[in-house]
Amino acid sequence: MQKYKVIDAKLDTVEYPILIGENVIDQILDLIEKHTKNSKIIIVGDTFFQNGICASVENKLSDKFEIYSYYMDAGKGNKSINEVLKIFGILEENNLARDSVLIAVGGGVIGDLAGFVASTWLRGMNLIHIPTTLMAMVDSSVGGKVAINYRQTINAIGNYYHPMGNIMDLTFIDTLSHRDYLSGLAEVIKCAMINDKDFFEYLETNKDVVLKKDHDVLIELITKAITIKIDHVNGDLREGGKRLLLNYGHTLGHAIEISTEKNGHEQLRHGEGVSIGIVAVAYIATQYLNISKSIFERYENIFNNYGLPTKISASELGFDKETLLHKCFDNVKKDKKRLDNNIRLILSDEIGSAKVYNDVPFELIQEAFEYVIEE
């Protein structure tokens, strides 16, 4: 019997289904036909899936629709205006309209970029997300954030735009590398840390079953994380309040991610940056909020137990420690969530709870970087 669940995502004035489970991608035709009679579809996908799942999707739809496609390497360096312009060219040449459909098939880079294209073409065309990583399922494909990078600034040019549906097929999780699966789990753990102590304790004590990728467990984990995200996004589309809490660990984590790139290539997965970033802000909380040492240790230990990094070695990544510290501090000052000259940080004062702080001293941020970055 097919295992799946449908979440009815209600965000502000938008409502759309999120399908999670086995072979749910088969339901894409029904989803499209419920929303549009336009005959044109463009698939924007990761080249990794071009001859596999994307070919299958094209076959499912080709009897009823005109299919166009654009495939690209999903490296962060391609999350750029140049790729956006190439897709615009296809849309214009083939006269795709607002009620045409763009299907994004890939991880966070593809979803963010393709979503940005959909949000801006003719001021907004139909969008379907088919996220292919656990990270994209629980994070980037939910909540409406779409963006591209500009030079060294992550997600510098962006928008808020929701899809007409989100299809999360567990087949993709089955084929994920262990490292990429763990990267997505970092985001799941984060959701528990900021909102649900019981969920956190479940993740603490059920590592073995979580790592087995059992589909029943995955459906519940993904559902739980998405439900937490929707609760924080609803009513706060543009991050004026509780949505900011979802950035727990991200401000310092993003800075570490981009600072450790070599020749335009990432050395850390996003989830690895998040796990290190969370340990860094947990360290800050021990100094700034005087949280108990036991909470800090539980936060650090859960990542260690799941095989996620809590510290990095500068030399192993090809850097001098002082140089890397300087780069991280410079990049954190560019964070788009900054307020005037202050860095807004999310700190967890107890397990299952977090708050926004606007006045954490720069010296303490520097100290946190020094804690998580070793020689």
Side-chain angles (χ1 to χ4, degrees), residues 47-241:
T47 50
F48 182 81
F49 300 106
Q50 182 172 356
N51 297 319
I53 192 66
C54 289
S56 175
V57 170
E58 288 189 31
N59 288 335
K60 291 179 193 300
L61 300 174
S62 59
D63 286 345
K64 295 189 176 184
F65 298 94
E66 297 175 43
I67 309 297
Y68 304 91
S69 59
Y70 182 78
Y71 293 100
M72 56 180 282
D73 175 71
K76 290 180 182 177
N78 285 335
K79 191 173 163 182
S80 68
I81 191 65
N82 292 332
E83 296 296 319
V84 169
L85 294 175
K86 291 174 186 177
I87 301 169
F88 281 164
I90 296 173
L91 297 174
E92 183 185 44
E93 288 166 13
N94 297 286
N95 198 30
L96 274 78
R98 294 183 68 184
D99 59 344
S100 301
V101 179
L102 187 155
I103 303 173
V105 184
V109 169
I110 297 294
D112 281 3
L113 181 141
F116 178 75
V117 169
S119 76
T120 49
W121 182 250
L122 302 178
R123 298 195 181 97
M125 65 185 294
N126 287 321
L127 170 67
I128 293 176
H129 280 301
I130 303 180
T132 59
T133 65
L134 180 59
M135 175 64 76
M137 291 178 185
V138 300
D139 184 28
S140 59
S141 73
V142 179
K145 283 186 179 180
V146 294
I148 55 174
N149 302 333
Y150 182 70
R151 295 181 180 173
Q152 295 299 306
T153 304
I154 295 176
N155 297 329
I157 306 170
N159 205 348
Y160 295 91
Y161 195 72
H162 296 291
M164 66 184 197
N166 196 328
I167 299 173
M168 302 182 179
D169 199 308
L170 299 183
T171 303
F172 293 116
I173 303 295
D174 293 338
T175 60
L176 273 183
S177 71
H178 185 62
R179 185 180 181 185
D180 285 326
Y181 180 62
L182 292 181
S183 178
L185 283 179
E187 196 70 27
V188 175
I189 293 167
K190 177 215 74 178
C191 288
M193 287 175 166
I194 66 169
N195 187 257
D196 193 324
K197 183 178 181 181
D198 291 340
F199 186 30
F200 179 82
E201 291 175 347
Y202 171 84
L203 293 168
E204 272 188 313
T205 56
N206 289 275
K207 180 190 75 172
D208 291 342
V209 69
V210 170
L211 292 179
K212 285 180 180 177
K213 299 184 185 177
D214 176 82
H215 282 190
D216 288 321
V217 173
L218 277 172
I219 289 171
E220 293 309 310
L221 288 183
I222 294 169
T223 299
K224 193 74 174 175
I226 288 174
T227 301
I228 290 171
K229 180 154 191 179
I230 289 173
D231 179 63
H232 283 73
V233 172
N234 196 23
D236 187 22
L237 181 64
R238 296 183 177 274
E239 293 186 302

